[in-house]
Amino acid sequence: MARRLTLQDVAKRAGVSRSSASYVYTQPERVSAELRAKVLAAAAELRYPGPDPVAASLRRGRAGALGVLFTESLAFAFADPAAVLFLQGIAAAGQRADTALTLLPVPTTFDPALTAIRNSVVDGVIVYSLPDGHPALQAVAERRLPTVLVDMPPAPGTATLLIDDEGGAYAVAAHVLARGHRHVGLLADRLAADDARGFADARRLARMTFPVSRWRLAGYERALREHGIAAVPLYEAAGNSVQDGATGARELLALEPRPTAIVAMTDQLARGVLLAAAELGLDVPGELAVAGFDDLPEAALTVPPLTTVHQDHVGKGAEAARLLLEGEAPPEPVVLPTRLVARGST
Amino acid sequence: MARRLTLQDVAKRAGVSRSSASYVYTQPERVSAELRAKVLAAAAELRYPGPDPVAASLRRGRAGALGVLFTESLAFAFADPAAVLFLQGIAAAGQRADTALTLLPVPTTFDPALTAIRNSVVDGVIVYSLPDGHPALQAVAERRLPTVLVDMPPAPGTATLLIDDEGGAYAVAAHVLARGHRHVGLLADRLAADDARGFADARRLARMTFPVSRWRLAGYERALREHGIAAVPLYEAAGNSVQDGATGARELLALEPRPTAIVAMTDQLARGVLLAAAELGLDVPGELAVAGFDDLPEAALTVPPLTTVHQDHVGKGAEAARLLLEGEAPPEPVVLPTRLVARGST
DNA sequence: CTGAAAGCGCTTACAG
DNA sequence: CTGAAAGCGCTTACAG
């Protein structure tokens, strides 16, 4: 392949200066119609692909893209409807600002390279629900780019966007307990960034690294305390698929005494609970009450419809993008509301 | 804010040349441990954020990101499970190659700017299921970047990745017809990039711009012809949500004679048909047979489970990324297989 | 309205 | 192992 075409080539062919040719692309109204026509004609003849965005970005000092660093692996994130809705919100806000969205690959145990984070061409980064102490967070901080932390503890100098996880969890647990349930099972997706699966003991609970799980559990526990219930079983499913939820539900429902209610930390898990209940021939909500968290679109479509905690995932994404595009990190975390949605499953 | 820190500042502080400092970041094994330590210490003292990726990209001639241009609006794309699975496949392949994934905002009627496409810092572009003649495709072509067209007609000089839409559609329609159905209704998401909704007449069919719809319809029609059925009603839902499917199903089921089978172009729509059938108290498959296309994970979980056409969405994404990362566009389209999955809904 | 000139921050053959 | 030098392709104040 021959040398790449540059603006210089176009300018020479059109018989104008390089700066004039540049203006044709960046400020077309600034140049005369005649000059514009000459340059565009020369560009078309040479099949010039337009000014190189990398060079333009370097000169302008602006990349034109927002980076998003997602919960552990991207594959996991795309399998999680809540994460996808969040991304949808970012994308919509970015589209309005004519800004592209760059998904940064998160380093994994298999592939611990941070090069993609270090080399990504972005003007800012949205970090979504990373566990405590994840090395990717450090790598982002070193870039010293504007950053918005979402569903994570605040850090100095960065904007933080949260939802009221504790309050929402409290509300849904209190709702279940108000219906008289004393034998409640809790179902979590993941408490820490490993593959642990099974009933969580005190030691495990002391080592939770996923902030969202920690906050939601705190809300459940407050409601339980207020109802005089000291300890309930908590099953950790090691994942957030419907199947993970079904697996966890089977374990919880095998306990003696059998729980009469299962409160799940996500709607995905709660959907699995409904599946397991159907398998076992348990009537919901007659023999088993089920509640989730997130109010995914699916939650209204299950049989029976799922009691859950509403949060506006798309709005959260849009707000995250807005915080980044506006610059000026607010000193205090922005906290979006949650709201109990009682449906047929409780 | 003060002037931005550069590698030059670090080099000066460390008392070495700029090139040596650069090697510390790019080829650390090339320099002595002593020099490395000096440079890293200076960088830490100055809080140097690392070499600027934009400048490095310009010099290297490589951006380190793949662009994805998605079906019309990004918000639509994220609401479509099939598109999300496809993206998941791209992301996984990109992660292995340590390449970020940039989602390009697609110009809309409201915001026809092509600047995001023109300015995006990417090494290649995957274009997914754009309607015929969409201006974004032109803008991509002008960039003269390596391009992979997915679920779109081949274009000279670009790689093309398809699935056997026509064959899959034929198989599922033939399966339904083999069960003796003569009154079949067809349900489409969108035939062209507008908001048209309703029964499609010949004039509308002649103006389809979504290739996938065209190919699937061709498959249905071949099966119908072979079974001696001349014409069937086709309802266009103007969207691909479960609710769109329910709306379309209500219209089809209000026809005289009432269809005994509905074949939907997507699983999302077919799920809506199941919903509408439940509302109307129609037994599936006893009074109404239902079939979809895509074999989403949800398709196996509906009640009854959905007969559909399987395609490997994640694998398709991975293959698209592979075609782009490998360079060398194959002259012929790569066509992935589809497979009928008969379940309880027919 | 047009153009000469400076500079964005880095990487990498090349010479020593 | 280290450094001087060239150059990636562009934009934009500035002067005319």
Side-chain angles (χ1 to χ4, degrees):
Chain A
M1 200 117 142
R3 189 181 58 77
R4 188 180 186 186
L5 283 170
T6 72
L7 201 48
Q8 182 68 275
D9 301 319
V10 174
K12 183 192 278 181
R13 173 108 180 193
V16 302
S17 75
R18 191 164 51 142
S19 22
S20 293
S22 180
Y23 287 132
V24 168
Y25 287 97
T26 57
Q27 304 174 46
E29 60 298 329
R30 188 188 152 148
V31 298
S32 63
E34 187 196 1
L35 188 147
R36 200 161 39 205
K38 266 198 306 200
V39 169
L40 258 19
E45 284 170 35
L46 295 172
R47 299 171 53 91
Y48 175 61
D52 175 28
V54 176
S57 291
L58 176 60
R59 177 58 229 235
R60 288 200 186 105
R62 175 176 183 278
L66 298 184
V68 180
L69 195 63
F70 241 103
T71 330
E72 305 234 64
S73 124
L74 272 178
F76 262 127
F78 282 121
D80 179 359
V84 170
L85 291 170
F86 174 70
L87 209 45
Q88 182 178 337
I90 301 176
Q95 182 149 7
R96 278 192 294 278
D98 213 36
T99 298
L101 213 180
T102 296
L103 304 177
L104 303 174
V106 180
T108 61
T109 354
F110 307 106
D111 171 21
L114 296 163
T115 55
I117 293 175
R118 297 208 173 110
N119 294 336
S120 63
V121 177
V122 296
D123 298 311
V125 183
I126 294 172
V127 184
Y128 180 75
S129 203
L130 235 43
D132 297 341
H134 195 289
L137 189 54
Q138 175 69 15
V140 169
E142 280 169 8
R143 286 283 303 267
R144 310 211 187 294
L145 290 169
T147 302
V148 177
L149 264 28
V150 180
D151 290 349
M152 297 173 62
T158 61
T160 307
L161 178 59
L162 300 171
I163 65 160
D164 183 12
D165 276 301
E166 200 273 350
Y170 171 81
V172 69
H175 164 85
V176 167
L177 293 166
R179 270 156 180 64
H181 294 282
R182 305 294 296 173
H183 298 297
V184 177
L186 299 179
L187 186 50
D189 49 339
R190 303 173 74 197
L191 302 181
D194 52 26
D195 295 327
R197 171 199 307 258
F199 288 99
D201 55 17
R203 183 192 158 95
R204 177 73 180 164
L205 293 178
R207 305 192 174 188
M208 297 177 65
T209 55
F210 277 106
V212 168
S213 297
R214 212 158 47 215
W215 295 326
R216 293 187 186 174
L217 182 59
Y220 296 152
E221 286 179 336
R222 177 157 65 93
L224 289 163
R225 269 199 312 276
E226 290 187 4
H227 282 75
I229 299 179
V232 297
L234 188 162
Y235 189 89
E236 180 180 7
N240 191 31
S241 70
V242 174
Q243 292 308 333
D244 290 319
T247 305
R250 283 184 211 110
E251 296 283 341
L252 283 165
L253 293 171
L255 293 176
E256 285 295 341
R258 198 179 70 200
T260 62
I262 293 182
V263 178
M265 285 201 186
T266 71
D267 284 355
Q268 288 283 91
L269 294 176
R271 290 176 64 201
V273 177
L274 293 179
L275 226 59
E279 277 171 25
L280 296 169
L282 291 175
D283 178 61
V284 176
E287 297 171 280
L288 180 70
V290 180
F293 199 118
D294 281 338
D295 197 22
L296 300 180
E298 290 295 333
L301 301 177
T302 56
V303 187
L306 193 62
T307 290
T308 186
V309 178
H310 178 79
Q311 65 162 309
D312 180 3
H313 296 96
V314 176
K316 188 165 71 175
E319 177 67 14
R322 199 188 60 74
L323 286 169
L324 208 49
L325 292 168
E326 294 204 344
E328 285 306 301
E332 292 299 309
V334 175
V335 182
L336 303 178
T338 54
R339 174 171 46 81
L340 174 67
V341 181
R343 295 202 184 95
S345 67
T346 50
Chain B
M1 196 115 147
R3 190 181 58 77
R4 187 181 187 187
L5 284 169
T6 71
L7 200 49
Q8 183 68 274
D9 302 317
V10 174
K12 183 192 278 180
R13 173 106 180 194
V16 303
S17 74
R18 190 163 53 140
S19 24
S20 293
S22 179
Y23 287 132
V24 168
Y25 287 96
T26 56
Q27 303 174 49
E29 59 299 329
R30 190 188 151 147
V31 298
S32 64
E34 187 195 1
L35 187 146
R36 200 160 39 205
K38 267 198 304 199
V39 169
L40 257 19
E45 285 169 36
L46 295 171
R47 300 172 52 90
Y48 174 62
D52 174 30
V54 176
S57 290
L58 176 60
R59 177 57 230 232
R60 286 200 185 107
R62 176 176 181 278
L66 298 184
V68 180
L69 194 64
F70 241 104
T71 328
E72 306 233 61
S73 123
L74 273 178
F76 262 129
F78 282 120
D80 179 0
V84 170
L85 291 169
F86 174 69
L87 210 44
Q88 183 179 337
I90 301 175
Q95 183 149 7
R96 278 192 295 279
D98 211 35
T99 297
L101 211 179
T102 296
L103 303 177
L104 303 175
V106 180
T108 61
T109 353
F110 307 105
D111 171 21
L114 296 162
T115 56
I117 294 174
R118 297 209 172 108
N119 294 336
S120 63
V121 178
V122 296
D123 298 312
V125 183
I126 295 172
V127 183
Y128 179 75
S129 203
L130 235 44
D132 298 341
H134 196 290
L137 188 56
Q138 176 69 16
V140 169
E142 279 168 8
R143 288 282 305 267
R144 309 210 188 296
L145 291 168
T147 303
V148 177
L149 264 28
V150 180
D151 289 349
M152 297 172 63
T158 62
T160 307
L161 178 59
L162 300 170
I163 64 160
D164 183 10
D165 277 300
E166 200 272 349
Y170 171 81
V172 70
H175 163 85
V176 167
L177 293 167
R179 269 153 183 67
H181 295 281
R182 306 293 295 173
H183 298 296
V184 177
L186 299 179
L187 186 50
D189 50 340
R190 303 173 73 198
L191 302 180
D194 52 28
D195 296 326
R197 171 198 307 258
F199 288 99
D201 56 17
R203 186 191 155 97
R204 178 75 181 164
L205 293 178
R207 302 190 176 190
M208 298 179 63
T209 56
F210 277 107
V212 167
S213 297
R214 212 158 46 215
W215 294 326
R216 292 187 186 174
L217 182 59
Y220 296 151
E221 286 179 335
R222 177 157 63 95
L224 289 163
R225 268 198 313 277
E226 289 187 3
H227 283 74
I229 298 179
V232 296
L234 188 164
Y235 189 88
E236 180 179 8
N240 191 30
S241 70
V242 175
Q243 293 309 334
D244 290 318
T247 305
R250 282 183 211 110
E251 296 283 340
L252 283 166
L253 293 171
L255 293 176
E256 287 292 342
R258 197 179 72 201
T260 62
I262 294 182
V263 178
M265 285 201 186
T266 72
D267 284 356
Q268 288 284 91
L269 294 176
R271 290 175 63 201
V273 176
L274 293 178
L275 226 59
E279 276 172 25
L280 296 170
L282 292 175
D283 177 61
V284 176
E287 297 170 279
L288 180 69
V290 180
F293 199 118
D294 281 339
D295 197 21
L296 300 180
E298 290 295 334
L301 302 176
T302 56
V303 186
L306 194 62
T307 290
T308 185
V309 177
H310 178 79
Q311 64 162 311
D312 179 2
H313 296 95
V314 176
K316 188 165 71 177
E319 177 68 15
R322 199 187 61 74
L323 286 169
L324 208 48
L325 293 168
E326 295 205 343
E328 285 305 300
E332 292 299 311
V334 175
V335 182
L336 303 177
T338 54
R339 176 171 45 80
L340 175 67
V341 181
R343 296 202 183 96
S345 67
T346 49

